[in-house]
Amino acid sequence: MSENSVFRDCPATGIGSMPGGDAREAAKTVTGSFGDGEGMPYLAELPARGPGADMTGRTVGLLSELYGHVEPSGWRISDRPGRDTRRARSWLGEDLDALEEFTQGYQGPLKVQAVGPWTLAAALERRGGEAFIGDPGACRDLADSLAEGLRGHLAEVRRRVPGARLAVQLDEPSLTAVLRGRVRTASGYRTYRAVDRQVVEATLREVLAAAGEAATLVHTCAPEVPFALLRRAGADGISFDLSLLTEREEEAVGEAVEGGTRMFFGVVPGTDPASGRLSDPGGSVMGVRTLWRRLGLNPGTLTESVTVTPSCGLAGASPAYARAALAHCARAARSLADNPE
């Protein structure tokens, strides 16, 4: 597990995706929301631009010596980089240009995101149309390609923002489905066999290790987060939707906190609330305080163990709400620090 010091300066952050298609506006929002120690800015993703800017397409553009193209069913592996891969890489370059512009002289934590190896294996199709998840050898090759691509990506981010202390987030919303054999085949009539937990853990460990000295976290907005597995794989932090946590999983959260794992609690809605407004910042983190009490944890450890985030990405939100949600995360984190009880 890498040094967790990056997270000491990130009381709040976002997940990754933002609404709209303006890279400069998104970079301005995420850097402005978390400046001056308010939290951790991040490289925004703008899926509304279309294929190549979506979560899977962004990561396909990072892969080393593997390429992809878009079929009606989704992303499929290609023999050579075509229009879709070039578009994904072009948009990533645009996003990096915007981030670089708004981080001149910045020194502090900075997060980048990529789809993790198992969600990618569940989403990306082999040449025949079936997902990578059905072929163990193909999954290994995909993880190797992802790890190498991440190393190159982090080197580029360091070159552009030399004062940043980097964190790498792997998005794994399909991880539980992979572990439980719930990923459907192309026909939809059956599911792929569950992948052995030791294989899942070893592959995650390999990709997380590609982050080198950067801090690492795994994000999922799905239920049944495998906390212990993620910790064993080497994640410094775990990001999840607090509203989906069950009593049965609370003990695993307590063990993770006591073991030094940073908890990224998703407590702010990812889309515009029906009421049109957010609750007060203190109310947003009430569930965190309540959980701490139930687990018998010291309230004084909240700021060193917790980062406040939206419940998931903000791609489905209005631009105005996305700005408000990130600012609200920062205010909720301050409330938690000022009133841990």
Side-chain angles (χ1 to χ4, degrees), residues 7-21:
F7 294 151
R8 291 177 193 154
D9 298 321
C10 70
T13 191
I15 300 302
S17 67
M18 294 289 287

Side-chain angles (χ1 to χ4, degrees), residues 292-318:
W292 235 244
R293 283 196 298 271
R294 273 206 303 270
L295 293 173
L297 296 170
N298 179 0
T301 65
L302 275 166
T303 54
E304 64 191 51
S305 302
V306 171
T307 297
V308 177
T309 76
S311 58
C312 209
L314 295 168
S318 66

